[in-house]
Amino acid sequence: MKRHVLLPVLLLMSTPAMSATRHVPSGYPTIASAMAASQQGDSVIVRAGTYEEHDLLLKPGLTVMSEGGMATIDAGGAGRCMYSLEPLHDVYLTG
């Protein structure tokens, strides 16, 4: 009589990373710090107001939007408001 042993097979599947929402200034003190911590598919939500920041690096697949009114980035002549190191096809800026 033959004995068969069934071994459980574990399938390792790559799951897509969950997107994150980063809030400025409640979760991150600056837009720059929220954007630096973000990855493709994430959102940066900026509370309405004026932010004195410059040279914010835009990343592919990032959504940046205001909450509660208009958010203004004032570079104050210190540089660009935003820039990218590569062509961007899926960046969304609203508010």
Side-chain angles (χ1 to χ4, degrees):
M1 172 186 238
K2 289 186 178 181
R3 294 182 63 179
H4 296 280
V5 178
L6 297 176
L7 299 175
V9 176
L10 178 62
L11 296 176
L12 298 176
M13 295 175 40
S14 138
T15 57
M18 301 283 295
S19 62
T21 301
R22 303 177 197 297
H23 293 269
V24 177
S26 60
Y28 290 81
T30 64
I31 299 170
S33 63
M35 290 174 73
S38 296
Q39 302 177 51
Q40 187 170 6
D42 289 354
S43 296
V44 175
I45 310 296
V46 182
R47 188 180 313 148
T50 300
Y51 296 83
E52 296 178 1
E53 300 189 48
H54 59 88
D55 295 319
L56 301 175
L57 175 60
L58 288 171
K59 298 177 182 178
L62 182 62
T63 297
V64 180
M65 64 178 65
S66 67
E67 174 179 64
M70 185 168 51
T72 303
I73 300 169
D74 181 358
R80 307 164 284 199
C81 284
M82 296 182 178
Y83 73 100
S84 173
L85 297 175
E86 57 191 286
L88 299 174
H89 303 287
D90 52 355
V91 171
Y92 303 96
L93 303 173
T94 63

